[in-house]
Amino acid sequence: MKRNHFLVLVGLALCALFGYWLGHATRPENFQLQGKLTFDPTQVPSADYDTGDYIVRWRTENGGQLTVEAKDRPGIVLWQTIPGEAFVMAAQANETVTENRGMFQFQDRWQVVCSDQTVDSFQQSEYGLIQIKGLLDCSDNSTFTYDVYFGKAPSSNAGITVDINNKSNRVFLTYASSPNEHFFGFGEQFTYFDMKGKKVPIWVSEQGVGRGEQPLTFFADLTNGGAGGSAFTSYAPMPFYLTNKMRGISRLSCDSNHACYSVFDLRKPDRVQIEVWSSELQMNIMNGSSPQEIIHQNLFAPVYGTTLPVLPEWVFSKAIVGMQGGTDKVHKTYAKLKERNTPITAFWLQDWVGQRVTSFGKQLWWNWEVDYDRYPGWEQLVSELNKDGVNVMVYISPYLADIGNLKPNVRRNLFQEAKEKGYLVKNSVGEPYLVQNTDFYFGMVNLFDSNARHWYKNVIEEQVIGVGAKGWMADFGEGLPFDTAVGFYTGAEFHNDYPLFWAMLNREIVYETDKDIVFFNRAASTISPHYAPLFWEGDQLVDWSAEDGIKSAVTG
């Protein structure tokens, strides 16, 4: 009898688990949004609109369809909607976002869905801008008004802006693809090269440990709250792609030109659906006859300038040796390398600030100053290496840990300085937002505050360049909390922009001090390559796995 009771309880538990899984799996948020397109052909008849370099064609046949073509490539479709189907949709939604050590988990719940679209009018301004106005019918019997604008973008490509004029916080843009169209790009992606058939989120985060390689990912998730990652977790995802049809989009952004959370859904063979967590969507339609031409247009938009950062010659000349261990170990290692006539251009000494022991292992003191206990005679070490033409590189980040009385030889507590000056990113009640990393907490310098930026630039110039470093890894940048307060905005709007501002700050230091300095980032946003000359690709596993090993590094 007891055995029967036990089996009944197990059966009920399994049914409950299955019911929970089924309820989650069948939520509408897990599927592409679709709706019908309606219009009055007497009010919006078929027409062609000239925007200068582009032609926007509206055809009422087959339920209505928009097409964008470039004048210099007649007959080549750059962008096109699906006949008879809504191309603009919206929703009101509530999200739940959890974060642990730079990894983010997203759950979305659509409250009101507006999927049926009417097209009411086309208007063209004297400057060539085309405006489409209409309504979206919603699941609660309300209607949202919307505007779609087509025109020439600052990058000399065609620009599209979608603006939902009500209380929506999700915008969807759907357009046509084909089964044999293959999608490449989306920034630094480690698992897949062709994203056709995938759903690709754009949110800067930690890369993850394992990223699908089992059982490592399972145990990383179990013990570190989702730290295993997935096929799409990346330090440097970007809302840019090109296809084998020589089509592409770039500069996807939300209201106020922020790079908010977005998703590219390429799972259906005949369409692309972009979702942004905002009430406005902006993007450019790329035009080019080759991958090189499209990439060049993406990199060298006039609004961002026509030059990329140049590396100093010493970076290319010989080996850069990364090592840790202190002054004596550097001397011994260098002596052995000289015995073998090894050409060395620099030592990268990541532990220059000293090490602390945590539950994760050995980590750095996140307080950016020389630790003279670990590196006694630092200045002499730098001078001796420099005499042989060998530079010294170090490691920094925009994260500051409150070391308090934990570190015996501290001279300057940067966390405390930043806190007193109000230069740390704040939470919703105006206090410094403290983020946990293993056994300690840290604050993030508010890189969007000009005063904080100026202060931190001086810190780096004094504490890093001032002690002889000719370069550094400018690490992190992916951890700005979703719910932080950044001036009038939130981490939801500015998260993906934080690594860009970090790269910009480091580039400004190089321009203002010494053009012979080099730095490299790990996290990146869309236009980070305009400021960072090098990127660290992450911390792959030392195996051959495609998920997180050397194969993933090649793909990335």
Side-chain angles (χ1 to χ4, degrees):
M1 185 66 70
K2 290 182 178 179
R3 183 173 182 272
N4 289 338
H5 286 164
F6 174 75
L7 291 176
V8 168
L9 289 174
V10 170
L12 290 173
L14 290 174
C15 288
L17 287 172
F18 177 75
Y20 175 81
W21 172 84
L22 186 64
H24 177 76
T26 56
R27 290 285 304 174
E29 297 87 356
N30 296 321
F31 304 92
Q32 278 198 5
L33 193 58
Q34 286 185 246
K36 64 179 182 294
L37 181 68
T38 58
F39 57 91
D40 183 347
T42 63
Q43 298 296 317
V44 284
S46 297
D48 291 346
Y49 299 90
D50 189 333
T51 68
D53 294 333
Y54 298 88
I55 301 293
V56 178
R57 305 187 192 280
W58 165 249
R59 295 293 179 264
T60 59
E61 297 85 0
N62 302 315
Q65 185 178 37
L66 275 170
T67 302
V68 178
E69 298 177 8
K71 287 183 179 178
D72 61 353
R73 299 174 66 201
I76 302 297
V77 174
L78 300 180
W79 188 87
Q80 190 172 53
T81 63
I82 300 167
E85 294 196 29
F87 53 92
V88 171
M89 290 169 277
Q92 291 177 343
N94 294 324
E95 71 278 348
T96 301
V97 181
T98 57
E99 182 270 341
N100 184 53
R101 295 185 60 188
M103 301 293 295
F104 294 80
Q105 305 292 329
F106 293 86
Q107 289 186 342
D108 205 21
R109 294 282 179 173
W110 296 346
Q111 309 301 314
V112 177
V113 177
C114 309
S115 56
D116 291 333
Q117 176 187 6
T118 63
V119 175
D120 294 334
S121 68
F122 281 78
Q123 299 175 2
Q124 185 165 16
S125 73
E126 58 181 310
Y127 303 105
L129 191 68
I130 299 164
Q131 180 183 22
I132 304 172
K133 298 178 73 69
L135 296 174
L136 302 177
D137 292 328
C138 304
S139 57
D140 64 350
N141 296 319
S142 66
T143 57
F144 285 0
T145 61
Y146 73 86
D147 296 277
V148 178
Y149 300 91
F150 291 88
K152 187 173 179 179
S155 57
S156 299
N157 294 295
I160 297 179
T161 298
V162 179
D163 187 11
I164 309 299
N165 299 325
N166 291 77
K167 296 180 180 179
S168 78
N169 55 6
R170 304 288 186 270
V171 177
F172 303 84
L173 184 66
T174 306
Y175 50 97
S177 179
S178 63
N180 62 350
E181 186 168 22
H182 301 281
F183 290 75
F184 311 99
F186 301 102
E188 184 181 54
Q189 298 289 338
F190 296 99
T191 303
Y192 303 108
F193 183 56
D194 180 5
M195 294 296 185
K196 185 72 169 183
K198 313 301 180 186
K199 187 177 181 181
V200 187
I202 305 298
W203 186 259
V204 178
S205 74
E206 281 282 349
Q207 171 184 312
V209 180
R211 306 182 70 258
E213 182 181 349
Q214 300 298 353
L216 180 60
T217 303
F218 171 78
F219 286 112
D221 286 340
L222 186 66
T223 58
N224 282 286
S230 71
F232 302 104
T233 47
S234 171
Y235 300 112
M238 300 180 186
F240 160 79
Y241 71 74
L242 61 86
T243 81
N244 60 322
K245 303 289 186 182
M246 293 305 104
R247 304 195 291 193
I249 71 102
S250 70
R251 316 290 180 200
L252 179 72
S253 62
C254 306
D255 57 311
S256 303
N257 206 33
H258 301 311
C260 65
Y261 182 78
S262 59
V263 178
F264 288 79
D265 194 335
L266 312 173
R267 291 177 295 178
K268 291 191 174 183
D270 68 336
R271 67 191 63 200
V272 175
Q273 184 166 95
I274 300 176
E275 174 187 357
V276 299
W277 286 19
S278 176
S279 61
E280 185 178 311
L281 176 155
Q282 300 171 354
M283 72 179 195
N284 292 355
I285 303 170
M286 306 296 287
N287 173 31
S289 57
S290 69
Q292 294 94 327
E293 186 177 350
I294 293 175
I295 291 171
H296 186 272
Q297 290 176 8
N298 183 51
L299 284 175
F300 297 111
V303 69
Y304 301 119
T306 57
T307 59
L308 293 179
V310 177
L311 289 166
E313 283 297 321
W314 64 264
V315 174
F316 298 99
S317 60
K318 302 169 187 176
I320 296 175
V321 178
M323 64 168 292
Q324 301 185 65
T327 302
D328 288 344
K329 189 171 181 179
V330 174
H331 279 307
K332 292 176 182 178
T333 302
Y334 185 42
K336 291 179 181 179
L337 290 170
K338 287 200 292 186
E339 286 177 6
R340 293 163 173 77
N341 296 315
T342 307
I344 304 296
T345 191
F347 277 96
W348 175 34
L349 307 177
Q350 185 177 351
D351 63 339
W352 72 296
V353 295
Q355 289 182 330
R356 61 162 66 185
V357 178
T358 69
S359 59
F360 188 72
K362 292 182 179 179
Q363 293 181 264
L364 303 182
W365 293 101
W366 291 4
N367 187 63
W368 313 115
E369 64 178 10
V370 178
D371 186 317
Y372 287 107
D373 289 345
R374 191 166 184 82
Y375 282 91
W378 169 270
E379 286 78 7
Q380 184 179 354
L381 172 65
V382 172
S383 177
E384 290 174 356
L385 291 172
N386 288 169
K387 287 177 182 178
D388 288 349
V390 178
N391 292 313
V392 172
M393 301 176 65
V394 295
Y395 172 101
I396 60 173
S397 85
Y399 300 171
L400 304 175
D402 187 4
I403 55 179
N405 297 320
L406 298 174
K407 192 171 186 290
N409 59 356
V410 64
R411 301 181 304 282
R412 185 175 177 184
N413 188 330
L414 296 178
F415 173 91
Q416 196 61 36
E417 282 187 38
K419 179 181 178 180
E420 290 173 359
K421 295 175 182 293
Y423 291 163
L424 296 175
V425 167
K426 295 180 173 59
N427 58 24
S428 58
V429 296
E431 296 295 327
Y433 201 123
L434 299 181
V435 182
Q436 186 172 8
N437 183 289
T438 64
D439 302 340
F440 63 91
Y441 290 84
F442 65 90
M444 303 178 68
V445 178
N446 185 357
L447 301 180
F448 308 108
D449 180 331
S450 60
N451 292 325
R453 287 175 60 83
H454 181 72
W455 172 79
Y456 205 50
K457 282 166 59 177
N458 286 338
V459 167
I460 296 172
E461 290 169 8
E462 295 169 9
Q463 305 277 93
V464 180
I465 300 174
V467 297
K470 291 290 285 186
W472 55 84
M473 179 180 186
D475 200 8
F476 289 117
E478 68 276 0
L480 188 71
F482 189 88
D483 59 342
T484 190
V486 185
F488 296 105
Y489 301 98
T490 66
E493 297 163 295
F494 269 102
H495 172 91
N496 284 342
D497 292 320
Y498 191 89
L500 169 61
F501 276 69
W502 179 222
M504 290 169 62
L505 181 145
N506 284 274
R507 173 55 50 189
E508 289 170 9
I509 292 171
V510 173
Y511 282 150
E512 294 170 5
T513 57
D514 185 352
K515 303 276 194 309
D516 209 29
I517 286 174
V518 67
F519 70 92
F520 55 100
N521 290 106
R522 181 174 68 165
S525 189
T526 303
I527 58 171
S528 290
H530 273 271
Y531 303 98
L534 288 171
F535 291 93
W536 176 267
E537 205 187 20
D539 302 308
Q540 286 76 25
L541 301 174
V542 285
D543 63 21
W544 295 96
S545 71
E547 295 88 355
D548 200 21
I550 189 65
K551 293 180 181 179
S552 72
V554 174
T555 303

